[in-house]
Amino acid sequence: NAGVMQNPRHLVRRRGQEARLRCSPMKGHSHVYWYRQLPEEGLKFMVYLQKENIIDESGMPKERFSAEFPKEGPSILRIQQVVRGDSAAYFCASSPASGHGCTFGSGTRLTVV
Amino acid sequence: GDSVTQMEGPVTLSEEAFLTINCTYTATGYPSLFWYVQYPGEGLQLLLKATKADDKGSNKGFEATYRKETTSFHLEKGSVQVSDSAVYFCALYYGGSQGNLIFGKGTKLSVKP
Protein backbone atom coordinates (compact mmCIF):
# COMPACT_ATOMS: atom_id res chain seq x y z
CA ASN A 1 0.00 0.00 0.00
CA ALA A 2 2.42 2.63 -1.27
CA GLY A 3 1.86 6.21 -0.28
CA VAL A 4 2.43 9.21 -2.48
CA MET A 5 5.62 8.56 -4.43
CA GLN A 6 7.80 11.39 -5.59
CA ASN A 7 10.95 11.16 -7.61
CA PRO A 8 13.65 12.01 -7.68
CA ARG A 9 14.27 12.76 -3.98
CA HIS A 10 17.08 15.13 -4.86
CA LEU A 11 17.62 16.95 -8.14
CA VAL A 12 20.50 19.23 -9.06
CA ARG A 13 20.23 21.42 -12.13
CA ARG A 14 22.38 24.15 -13.58
CA ARG A 15 20.83 27.52 -14.28
CA GLY A 16 18.93 27.45 -17.56
CA GLN A 17 18.22 23.72 -17.53
CA GLU A 18 14.82 22.09 -17.18
CA ALA A 19 13.62 20.28 -14.06
CA ARG A 20 10.94 17.59 -14.19
CA LEU A 21 9.44 16.41 -10.93
CA ARG A 22 7.20 13.36 -10.80
CA CYS A 23 4.44 12.41 -8.45
CA SER A 24 2.42 9.19 -8.31
CA PRO A 25 -0.62 9.63 -6.08
CA MET A 26 -1.87 7.03 -3.68
CA LYS A 27 -3.92 4.27 -5.23
CA GLY A 28 -7.50 5.42 -5.63
CA HIS A 29 -6.64 9.12 -5.30
CA SER A 30 -7.63 11.26 -8.26
CA HIS A 31 -6.76 14.69 -6.83
CA VAL A 32 -3.17 15.93 -6.85
CA TYR A 33 -1.70 19.08 -5.30
CA TRP A 34 1.76 20.59 -5.64
CA TYR A 35 3.34 22.77 -2.95
CA ARG A 36 6.67 24.55 -2.69
CA GLN A 37 8.61 24.98 0.53
CA LEU A 38 11.33 27.59 0.57
CA PRO A 39 13.98 27.43 3.32
CA GLU A 40 12.60 28.48 6.73
CA GLU A 41 9.14 28.95 5.20
CA GLY A 42 5.85 27.13 5.27
CA LEU A 43 4.41 25.36 2.28
CA LYS A 44 2.87 27.45 -0.45
CA PHE A 45 0.19 26.05 -2.71
CA MET A 46 1.06 25.95 -6.39
CA VAL A 47 -1.50 23.94 -8.34
CA TYR A 48 -4.40 21.51 -7.93
CA LEU A 49 -5.10 18.94 -10.63
CA GLN A 50 -7.47 16.12 -11.36
CA LYS A 51 -6.95 13.65 -14.16
CA GLU A 52 -6.34 15.63 -17.37
CA ASN A 53 -7.60 18.85 -15.77
CA ILE A 54 -6.03 21.79 -13.98
CA ILE A 55 -8.54 22.87 -11.35
CA ASP A 56 -6.65 25.69 -9.65
CA GLU A 57 -3.28 27.08 -10.67
CA SER A 58 -3.49 30.31 -8.72
CA GLY A 59 -0.21 29.60 -6.93
CA MET A 60 1.85 28.87 -10.03
CA PRO A 61 4.36 31.43 -11.25
CA LYS A 62 3.16 32.84 -14.54
CA GLU A 63 6.26 31.86 -16.49
CA ARG A 64 8.47 28.78 -16.74
CA PHE A 65 6.28 26.56 -14.52
CA SER A 66 3.73 24.06 -15.77
CA ALA A 67 1.97 21.00 -14.40
CA GLU A 68 0.04 18.11 -15.82
CA PHE A 69 -1.75 15.01 -14.60
CA PRO A 70 -2.37 12.79 -17.60
CA LYS A 71 -4.92 10.03 -17.85
CA GLU A 72 -2.14 7.49 -17.47
CA GLY A 73 1.04 7.98 -15.50
CA PRO A 74 2.26 10.33 -12.81
CA SER A 75 1.68 14.01 -12.38
CA ILE A 76 4.58 16.11 -13.63
CA LEU A 77 5.72 19.52 -12.42
CA ARG A 78 7.97 21.07 -15.03
CA ILE A 79 10.23 24.06 -14.48
CA GLN A 80 11.91 25.44 -17.56
CA GLN A 81 15.11 27.53 -17.55
CA VAL A 82 15.62 27.12 -13.81
CA VAL A 83 17.09 29.95 -11.75
CA ARG A 84 18.70 29.87 -8.29
CA GLY A 85 15.48 31.14 -6.72
CA ASP A 86 13.73 27.93 -7.80
CA SER A 87 15.82 25.98 -5.28
CA ALA A 88 13.31 24.58 -2.81
CA ALA A 89 11.55 21.44 -1.68
CA TYR A 90 8.58 20.57 -3.86
CA PHE A 91 5.90 18.44 -2.26
CA CYS A 92 3.09 16.59 -3.92
CA ALA A 93 -0.05 15.54 -2.09
CA SER A 94 -3.06 13.51 -3.12
CA SER A 95 -6.59 12.91 -1.89
CA PRO A 96 -9.47 10.68 -2.93
CA ALA A 97 -11.79 13.66 -3.32
CA SER A 98 -11.97 17.27 -2.31
CA GLY A 99 -12.81 17.88 1.33
CA HIS A 100 -10.57 15.08 2.54
CA GLY A 101 -7.19 15.51 4.14
CA CYS A 102 -4.22 15.13 1.85
CA THR A 103 -1.44 12.57 2.01
CA PHE A 104 1.94 14.06 1.24
CA GLY A 105 4.93 12.59 -0.50
CA SER A 106 8.47 12.92 0.84
CA GLY A 107 9.24 15.72 -1.57
CA THR A 108 11.82 16.51 -4.22
CA ARG A 109 14.61 18.81 -3.14
CA LEU A 110 15.70 20.88 -6.11
CA THR A 111 19.03 22.64 -6.02
CA VAL A 112 19.95 25.02 -8.82
CA VAL A 113 23.67 25.67 -9.13
CA GLY B 1 -7.63 36.76 2.33
CA ASP B 2 -7.58 33.61 4.39
CA SER B 3 -4.45 33.00 6.42
CA VAL B 4 -2.93 31.01 9.27
CA THR B 5 -0.61 32.45 11.93
CA GLN B 6 1.53 30.26 14.15
CA MET B 7 3.72 31.12 17.07
CA GLU B 8 7.31 31.61 16.02
CA GLY B 9 9.87 29.04 16.93
CA PRO B 10 12.06 27.41 17.67
CA VAL B 11 10.49 25.99 20.79
CA THR B 12 12.87 24.07 23.05
CA LEU B 13 11.50 21.90 25.84
CA SER B 14 12.76 19.24 28.19
CA GLU B 15 11.36 15.74 27.94
CA GLU B 16 8.01 15.33 29.73
CA ALA B 17 7.27 19.07 29.59
CA PHE B 18 3.86 20.40 28.53
CA LEU B 19 3.61 21.66 24.96
CA THR B 20 1.43 24.37 23.48
CA ILE B 21 1.86 25.66 19.95
CA ASN B 22 -0.51 28.51 19.17
CA CYS B 23 -2.36 28.75 15.89
CA THR B 24 -4.92 31.35 14.86
CA TYR B 25 -6.63 31.74 11.53
CA THR B 26 -8.49 34.24 9.40
CA ALA B 27 -11.18 32.75 7.20
CA THR B 28 -14.13 34.04 5.24
CA GLY B 29 -16.01 30.74 5.53
CA TYR B 30 -16.00 27.61 7.66
CA PRO B 31 -12.84 25.66 6.93
CA SER B 32 -11.54 22.43 8.30
CA LEU B 33 -8.40 22.79 10.41
CA PHE B 34 -5.36 20.54 10.43
CA TRP B 35 -2.06 20.01 12.16
CA TYR B 36 0.72 18.42 10.11
CA VAL B 37 4.14 17.29 11.37
CA GLN B 38 7.35 17.20 9.36
CA TYR B 39 10.27 15.15 10.63
CA PRO B 40 13.75 16.03 9.34
CA GLY B 41 14.18 15.19 5.66
CA GLU B 42 10.65 13.88 5.28
CA GLY B 43 7.32 15.02 3.92
CA LEU B 44 4.36 16.19 5.94
CA GLN B 45 2.24 13.76 7.89
CA LEU B 46 -1.27 14.52 9.01
CA LEU B 47 -1.26 14.66 12.81
CA LEU B 48 -4.87 15.55 13.55
CA LYS B 49 -7.81 17.47 12.18
CA ALA B 50 -11.14 19.05 13.10
CA THR B 51 -13.89 19.80 10.63
CA LYS B 52 -16.25 22.06 12.59
CA ALA B 53 -16.44 24.34 15.59
CA ASP B 54 -15.88 22.71 19.00
CA ASP B 55 -14.53 19.52 17.43
CA LYS B 56 -11.41 18.16 19.12
CA GLY B 57 -8.82 16.36 17.06
CA SER B 58 -6.42 14.01 18.81
CA ASN B 59 -3.63 11.62 17.89
CA LYS B 60 -0.47 10.24 19.57
CA GLY B 61 -1.14 12.27 22.73
CA PHE B 62 -1.56 15.53 20.80
CA GLU B 63 -4.85 17.36 20.75
CA ALA B 64 -6.35 20.57 19.42
CA THR B 65 -9.83 22.09 19.67
CA TYR B 66 -11.47 24.11 16.90
CA ARG B 67 -12.46 27.38 18.61
CA LYS B 68 -14.60 29.51 16.34
CA GLU B 69 -15.04 32.31 18.89
CA THR B 70 -11.30 32.87 19.17
CA THR B 71 -10.47 31.60 15.64
CA SER B 72 -7.86 29.32 17.14
CA PHE B 73 -6.65 25.72 16.89
CA HIS B 74 -3.84 25.46 19.44
CA LEU B 75 -1.85 22.22 19.57
CA GLU B 76 -1.19 20.69 22.99
CA LYS B 77 0.54 17.66 24.45
CA GLY B 78 0.83 16.87 28.11
CA SER B 79 4.27 15.23 28.09
CA VAL B 80 6.59 15.56 25.11
CA GLN B 81 9.24 13.06 24.11
CA VAL B 82 12.53 13.48 22.26
CA SER B 83 10.90 11.74 19.29
CA ASP B 84 8.38 14.60 19.02
CA SER B 85 11.15 16.90 17.77
CA ALA B 86 9.92 18.11 14.38
CA VAL B 87 8.34 21.05 12.60
CA TYR B 88 4.60 21.46 13.17
CA PHE B 89 2.33 23.15 10.63
CA CYS B 90 -1.17 24.42 11.20
CA ALA B 91 -3.38 24.59 8.10
CA LEU B 92 -6.89 25.37 6.99
CA TYR B 93 -8.79 23.77 4.13
CA TYR B 94 -12.08 24.42 2.39
CA GLY B 95 -12.16 21.67 -0.12
CA GLY B 96 -14.49 21.86 -3.08
CA SER B 97 -13.20 24.13 -5.80
CA GLN B 98 -10.82 25.65 -3.27
CA GLY B 99 -8.72 22.56 -3.26
CA ASN B 100 -5.66 23.73 -1.48
CA LEU B 101 -4.41 23.85 2.07
CA ILE B 102 -3.31 27.19 3.50
CA PHE B 103 -0.37 26.65 5.83
CA GLY B 104 1.19 28.59 8.62
CA LYS B 105 4.96 29.07 8.52
CA GLY B 106 5.60 26.16 10.85
CA THR B 107 6.96 25.93 14.38
CA LYS B 108 10.13 23.97 15.04
CA LEU B 109 10.06 21.95 18.25
CA SER B 110 13.22 20.57 19.85
CA VAL B 111 12.86 18.27 22.85
CA LYS B 112 15.97 17.69 24.97
CA PRO B 113 16.46 14.54 27.08
Side-chain angles (χ1 to χ4, degrees):
Chain A
N1 185 19
V4 177
M5 304 300 293
Q6 289 189 249
N7 66 82
R9 286 293 300 270
H10 300 276
L11 181 61
V12 179
R13 284 288 178 266
R14 296 185 188 280
R15 282 178 294 169
Q17 290 185 318
E18 178 180 286
R20 291 171 70 88
L21 288 63
R22 294 175 184 76
C23 169
S24 296
M26 281 188 71
K27 188 175 181 180
H29 287 194
S30 58
H31 298 237
V32 167
Y33 312 83
W34 284 94
Y35 291 83
R36 176 164 63 176
Q37 184 181 32
L38 294 169
E40 307 301 323
E41 298 264 337
L43 278 72
K44 299 294 185 185
F45 167 76
M46 299 182 75
V47 63
Y48 163 34
L49 310 103
Q50 294 178 28
K51 285 284 187 181
E52 300 183 282
N53 285 306
I54 296 174
I55 307 302
D56 181 355
E57 57 182 347
S58 58
M60 286 280 270
K62 293 287 185 272
E63 297 177 348
R64 302 188 296 108
F65 284 71
S66 62
E68 63 177 11
F69 188 18
K71 187 176 180 181
E72 301 290 338
S75 176
I76 306 288
L77 179 67
R78 182 181 176 207
I79 311 173
Q80 295 178 291
Q81 298 175 317
V82 295
V83 301
R84 287 224 172 101
D86 297 332
S87 295
Y90 292 83
F91 289 96
C92 172
S94 71
S95 68
S98 62
H100 291 68
C102 299
T103 301
F104 280 79
S106 296
T108 294
R109 281 153 183 83
L110 172 66
T111 302
V112 179
V113 297
Chain B
D2 299 337
S3 64
V4 175
T5 302
Q6 290 181 235
M7 65 186 287
E8 295 213 5
V11 174
T12 302
L13 295 173
S14 297
E15 208 166 20
E16 299 184 2
F18 184 86
L19 169 71
T20 300
I21 299 178
N22 289 339
C23 170
T24 57
Y25 66 91
T26 302
T28 53
Y30 303 97
S32 297
L33 299 174
F34 297 81
W35 277 100
Y36 281 85
V37 58
Q38 184 181 30
Y39 297 102
E42 298 187 11
L44 274 71
Q45 300 176 25
L46 178 62
L47 181 60
L48 54 84
K49 67 178 182 181
T51 57
K52 61 183 187 297
D54 299 325
D55 269 3
K56 177 186 282 188
S58 61
N59 185 26
K60 299 181 182 179
F62 291 89
E63 52 183 43
T65 301
Y66 190 161
R67 302 279 188 206
K68 186 180 172 186
E69 63 276 12
T70 54
T71 61
S72 64
F73 193 53
H74 304 320
L75 182 68
E76 296 181 336
K77 186 174 185 182
S79 176
V80 293
Q81 306 300 312
V82 173
S83 58
D84 293 326
S85 298
V87 181
Y88 292 82
F89 292 94
C90 185
L92 67 84
Y93 179 66
Y94 285 105
S97 61
Q98 298 165 282
N100 70 86
L101 285 153
I102 297 172
F103 284 92
K105 289 191 175 182
T107 302
K108 184 175 181 179
L109 170 66
S110 295
V111 180
K112 307 296 183 187

